[in-house]
Amino acid sequence: MKLQLSDEDAAFREEMHTFFTTQIPQDVRDTVAARRELSKEQIVASVQAMNAAGIAVPNWPVEWGGKDWTPLQRHIWHEEMQLANVPPPLPFNASMVGPVIAAFGSQEIKERFLPKTANLDIWWSQGFSEPDAGSDLASLRTTAVRDGDDYLVNGQKTWTTLGQYGDWIFTLVRTDPSVKKQAGISFLLIDMSSPGVTVRPIELIDGGHEVNEVWFENVRVPAENLVGEENKGWDYAKFLLGNERVGVAPVGSTKRTLSQAKEFAKTAGPGGTSLLDDPLVAAQVADLENEILALELTALRVVANSADGKPHPASSVLKLRGTELQQAVTELFVDLAGPLALASGAGDGSDVPDLARVATPNYLNFRKASIYGGSNEVQRQIIAGTILGLRG
Amino acid sequence: MDFQLDSEQEALRDAVRGLLSKAYDTSETRREVTKQDPGWGDKTWQQLAEMGVLGLPFAEEDGGMGAGPAEVSIVAEEIGRVIAPEPFVEAVVLAGGLVAAAGTPEQRAEILGALAEGGLVPAFAHTEPASRYELAATGVTASSADGGWTLTGVKEPVLGGARADLLIVSAAVDGGTGLFLVKPDADGLTRTGYATFDGGRAAHVGFDNTPATPLGEPGADQSDVIAATVARAQIAYGHESLGAMETALRTTTEYLKTRKQFGVPLMTFQALTFRAADMYVSLELARSTVTWATLVLLDASSGSTSADEVIEAASRAKLQVSKAGRHIGQEAIQLHGGIGMTAEYSVGHYMSRLTAIDHALGDGRHHLNRLVATLDDHTVVDPLP
């Protein structure tokens, strides 16, 4: 047992800290620090700065731009990025479709897509969920019917995050309706500029436009856009969703947001006094710091001891607890803002600090965190069934 | 950074586990042992001595094994796993730790040697009826006259205080808190023992001009030694709790698998299994923090973490364990139903022990208060030194 990072890992941490605090456009980091929404251009600029340094897709195979890093180094990369107010690489590209293409795609499909996917020259959207297929994803109904050299795709996807920016969408489609539901699904790449694709915004409770519905009406998709084998899409999706849970505990960003909240509290009391002098507030902040520490240490335990490639049993805790704490900190920010939390629509000429204006929209927005990526109830089901052996 | 045990540490764990699981094969065996004074088994204590466990953290020249915090944590966790009533943390880590840290070479050799061999069981008499969790002594005062020292005042509750072969007593001295050794037959010493709810023993200990020997330098303020040693014991208690929580959770999940109601196993009901999943989350989070605190302590011996960092880490561990212990203890009983309320069944005793540990050396609220005082010292909590 030992606490210290090896000299090599400590140097790596320093290198990442320096990179993220000096090589990412300042306006991107300022926008994240202000808890404001990033533009498409800002997200692209951030990813391309990382990709130029060869660290945008470290989890990919080395021949396609990945890094031969240890799980601990990957964790450090992810943490230092978040602590420096740098947005993680677009997950649809870096964590989802990229690894699937690299693992299951043909050489032709890899060459065609992977370099542009790493560099965010193609913006990918995710086409998995449907109105009647949420946590029960395998019940999806969008169909792809073979027609000569093409598939004809019909159906509707939903919750497509940032789909308004999407160039391409990776989809799960039903190619064989006659078999068990998991066995008739394929993984198909669709150009979103194809005739018959319609993207419609879904307005969320924070007033923002983050997710979309995507409709497919007789969309003609070349069969060469199929990844891997027909009707094997469910296997690829399970592979992808396994990746999705890694790094889904946003430790660094939650730590950073809490430290921002603590700083904000110092002048948020009546007459500019410190709210940290309120013992209830101080206790809540100190308790959250301790809970986040426990989460971070659990993440470190998982990565420090998963070198043999097997997931550590405690990893299931990360998504569940990570999102709970992420939500708790957004809630704290609203409480600290107090009556100023109502001023979400304030613009020029307002005396309300910006962090107070964004507090409630962020709080409302992050209710999503315990729902996506396998809802927290699904996580409890996994813990109860897989770890504790409690099978109903 | 590495959270894993090495092969020697695994061997120690297996040996202690083997010994204790034999000594406390059932909850009923433990009940029998805790019914009789002193509340723990002399035979088991001797076996632990023979295995080297009672001298584990002490220097070899003092008669110990020269092992470190990791080994102490392994033993404490095994104690907790069967809630063995032997006072490992209280006598070895806490009382023995004070002697190791403050004693003269002669005191260390005499006391720690006998403790390691199982022949002397010390207790730390510190808590006073009105002191709550303060580390300074105020209710017992020390005075010196004619080259000797005497103590006057009351300590209570003193864990293991009636049975102890030697009391290590904190007392107010000029400029702070000193440490003193008091023998069981000292004049003016009264000890009234009683049972505690977790099967342990505590005592009212009265001093009336009771002769005492300073531990270490006469009249010196030992506040730093007390704070550092208490932090070590808090971390060890964290591990004892981890062992207890793990057993409480395992016992609960086994029950959910086997107990049938409405013709089906209880694990058919998601209302129950989800709560067990949350218990697991609490346990793993506590395990992470407590193990980290041990690593911080381990680094203190090489000088890469400071005494204050260890004390803060101990508070962080104690807070996490306080919350987890309450959650897991309460749910273990609830998920069992009525059987969990009975003295015959095990889980209630686990909750009792977790409650006792929670309130020894500072409960969650106390430690949260200490952490509040450090809020301004950092922007974020960085677990790496």
Side-chain angles (χ1 to χ4, degrees):
Chain A
M1 291 171 71
K2 77 180 171 66
L3 178 59
Q4 309 245 343
L5 292 177
S6 67
D7 290 347
E8 191 190 346
D9 287 336
F12 179 82
R13 189 188 196 195
E14 190 55 42
E15 185 193 331
M16 289 298 123
H17 173 76
T18 305
F19 177 84
F20 288 124
T21 52
T22 60
Q23 302 301 309
I24 301 294
Q26 189 61 41
D27 69 291
V28 171
R29 299 176 55 221
D30 290 345
T31 304
V32 172
R35 308 183 77 213
R36 291 281 183 185
E37 207 177 306
L38 291 163
S39 68
K40 178 182 183 180
E41 291 68 30
Q42 286 178 312
I43 294 171
V44 170
S46 180
V47 167
Q48 292 187 345
M50 275 192 244
N51 198 41
I55 59 168
V57 288
N59 52 319
W60 290 16
V62 172
E63 64 166 315
W64 296 106
K67 287 283 186 186
D68 200 8
W69 286 346
T70 62
L72 178 58
Q73 287 174 323
R74 218 182 282 170
H75 172 84
I76 292 170
W77 165 81
H78 197 235
E79 286 304 296
E80 289 302 324
M81 177 191 308
Q82 294 175 65
L83 287 171
N85 292 311
V86 174
L90 193 70
F92 317 112
N93 287 43
S95 311
M96 298 184 184
V97 74
V100 168
I101 291 175
F104 305 108
S106 63
Q107 185 65 20
E108 189 271 329
I109 255 187
K110 288 178 190 173
E111 286 171 9
R112 187 171 157 208
F113 286 109
L114 287 179
K116 289 179 178 175
T117 298
N119 202 45
L120 205 40
D121 296 328
I122 297 174
W123 183 297
W124 285 96
S125 291
Q126 182 180 19
F128 278 20
S129 295
E130 298 183 1
D132 290 328
S135 290
D136 178 17
L137 185 58
S139 63
L140 59 91
R141 291 201 298 231
T142 297
T143 55
V145 178
R146 193 65 188 250
D147 182 36
D149 289 339
D150 299 328
Y151 286 102
L152 269 183
V153 178
N154 280 284
Q156 184 199 348
K157 296 292 178 181
T158 192
W159 309 128
T160 308
T161 301
L162 301 180
Q164 66 268 42
Y165 302 148
D167 302 308
W168 282 73
I169 184 166
F170 55 93
T171 61
L172 292 178
V173 290
R174 189 159 300 286
T175 37
D176 185 351
S178 67
V179 292
K180 188 171 155 253
K181 61 183 180 179
Q182 285 86 355
I185 293 173
S186 297
F187 196 104
L188 191 62
L189 311 177
I190 302 176
D191 183 340
M192 291 179 78
S193 65
S194 311
V197 176
T198 311
V199 179
R200 293 180 192 159
I202 301 173
E203 189 179 349
L204 294 183
I205 53 174
D206 62 347
H209 170 201
E210 190 174 60
V211 291
N212 303 270
E213 294 176 326
V214 181
W215 297 76
F216 301 92
E217 283 172 275
N218 290 319
V219 178
R220 196 161 276 283
V221 180
E224 65 196 34
N225 290 3
L226 180 76
V227 176
E229 293 176 47
E230 197 176 72
N231 297 325
K232 288 284 170 64
W234 187 247
D235 292 342
Y236 311 152
K238 279 197 293 186
F239 169 85
L240 178 156
L241 294 170
N243 290 336
E244 191 182 16
R245 270 193 279 277
V246 176
V248 81
V251 179
S253 65
T254 306
K255 257 168 94 165
R256 172 175 48 69
T257 309
L258 180 59
S259 88
Q260 263 187 314
K262 189 164 79 169
E263 198 55 37
F264 178 82
K266 287 178 182 168
T267 55
T273 55
S274 177
L275 274 180
L276 295 178
D277 293 336
D278 176 340
L280 297 180
V281 173
Q284 200 184 351
V285 172
D287 193 44
L288 278 170
E289 281 191 344
N290 217 46
E291 292 288 348
I292 293 167
L293 172 68
L295 175 73
E296 177 173 12
L297 291 166
T298 305
L300 280 167
R301 269 174 67 206
V302 168
V303 296
N305 297 322
S306 64
D308 57 358
K310 275 187 296 185
H312 192 286
S315 61
S316 53
V317 170
L318 298 177
K319 199 279 169 172
L320 174 54
R321 193 63 185 142
T323 53
E324 284 177 352
L325 291 171
Q326 190 177 27
Q327 292 176 334
V329 173
T330 63
E331 186 180 351
L332 172 70
F333 236 129
V334 179
D335 289 334
L336 294 176
L340 304 188
L342 294 165
S344 61
D348 291 345
S350 164
D351 285 338
V352 173
D354 200 47
L355 282 173
R357 300 183 208 178
V358 299
T360 318
N362 268 300
Y363 166 59
L364 294 171
N365 181 273
F366 272 94
R367 302 319 298 169
K368 70 188 174 187
S370 49
I371 299 168
Y372 61 45
S375 76
N376 283 9
E377 286 64 40
V378 170
Q379 302 304 323
R380 286 187 179 90
Q381 188 83 10
I382 291 170
I383 292 171
T386 311
I387 299 176
L388 301 179
L390 299 171
R391 298 171 202 281
Chain B
M1 156 156 282
D2 179 10
F3 288 86
Q4 303 281 69
L5 302 181
D6 64 30
S7 58
E8 277 184 38
Q9 290 167 336
E10 283 178 355
L12 172 68
R13 181 196 62 195
D14 293 346
V16 176
R17 186 175 296 182
L19 192 165
L20 291 175
S21 59
K22 223 174 273 170
Y24 297 103
D25 52 346
T26 67
S27 181
E28 201 52 34
T29 315
R30 178 183 181 275
R31 261 180 98 202
E32 288 304 317
V33 170
T34 57
K35 270 180 193 162
Q36 313 288 329
D37 280 339
W40 43 269
D42 199 50
K43 188 179 153 211
T44 304
W45 193 250
Q46 293 306 324
Q47 288 172 330
L48 288 168
E50 283 158 27
M51 198 176 268
V53 165
L54 303 185
L56 207 55
F58 309 130
E60 288 177 31
E61 61 263 33
D62 296 336
M65 303 291 286
E71 287 74 21
V72 167
S73 74
I74 289 164
V75 174
E77 210 160 311
E78 294 308 317
I79 293 267
R81 203 179 293 279
V82 293
I83 47 171
E86 283 67 30
F88 173 74
V89 174
E90 295 82 357
V92 176
V93 182
L94 187 54
L98 290 166
V99 175
T104 63
E106 295 74 28
Q107 287 173 330
R108 295 204 306 266
E110 187 190 333
I111 299 167
L112 300 180
L115 167 57
E117 285 168 12
L120 179 146
V121 184
F124 181 34
H126 175 70
T127 304
E128 298 163 1
S131 68
R132 283 195 72 83
Y133 300 120
E134 289 299 314
L135 292 178
T138 52
V140 171
T141 53
S143 16
S144 68
D146 309 327
W149 289 80
T150 57
L151 305 181
T152 297
V154 171
K155 294 288 187 183
E156 186 181 9
V158 177
L159 295 177
R163 160 66 177 79
D165 302 308
L166 182 68
L167 293 170
I168 293 145
V169 187
S170 60
V173 296
D174 275 349
T177 298
L179 289 169
F180 297 86
L181 305 174
V182 173
K183 295 196 167 146
D185 57 358
D187 288 344
L189 176 71
T190 54
R191 300 194 286 178
T192 311
Y194 44 81
T196 54
F197 56 81
D198 62 328
R201 296 294 185 279
H204 173 285
V205 181
F207 305 88
D208 183 8
N209 283 312
T210 303
T213 308
L215 179 65
E217 192 193 333
D221 176 27
Q222 305 278 17
S223 299
D224 289 347
V225 166
I226 295 171
T229 309
V230 164
R232 283 172 177 266
Q234 286 161 342
I235 294 169
Y237 265 151
H239 284 282
E240 187 175 332
S241 298
L242 284 180
M245 290 190 283
E246 197 173 304
T247 303
L249 174 58
R250 197 187 58 243
T251 307
T252 304
T253 54
E254 289 307 317
Y255 192 77
L256 294 178
K257 287 175 197 173
T258 49
R259 167 78 170 170
K260 286 190 174 177
Q261 288 287 277
F262 308 104
V264 291
L266 288 181
M267 68 175 168
T268 313
F269 302 103
Q270 202 173 53
L272 305 180
T273 59
F274 272 28
R275 291 167 72 164
D278 284 335
M279 292 164 74
Y280 176 79
V281 172
S282 281
L283 172 62
E284 288 304 319
L285 292 170
R287 178 176 298 287
S288 300
T289 308
V290 172
T291 308
W292 167 77
T294 294
L295 296 179
V296 172
L297 183 55
L298 201 56
D299 268 21
S301 53
S302 65
S304 48
T305 51
S306 69
D308 283 347
E309 284 174 306
V310 173
I311 288 169
E312 186 184 320
S315 279
R316 294 195 175 282
K318 202 76 167 54
L319 170 58
Q320 201 67 35
V321 164
S322 172
K323 294 168 77 173
R326 290 171 195 224
H327 175 208
I328 291 171
Q330 291 167 5
E331 290 289 75
I333 292 178
Q334 179 67 26
L335 295 189
H336 273 84
I339 188 76
M341 292 295 298
T342 65
E344 202 181 331
Y345 196 77
S346 67
V347 287
H349 299 288
Y350 280 83
M351 171 157 184
S352 290
R353 182 59 191 152
L354 287 166
T355 305
I357 292 175
D358 189 5
H359 294 284
L361 308 181
D363 60 14
R365 186 174 296 141
H366 170 79
H367 288 287
L368 181 57
N369 249 317
R370 291 199 351 186
L371 295 176
V372 161
T374 71
L375 267 184
D376 264 346
D377 303 350
H378 52 262
T379 51
V380 295
V381 179
D382 185 353
L384 299 172

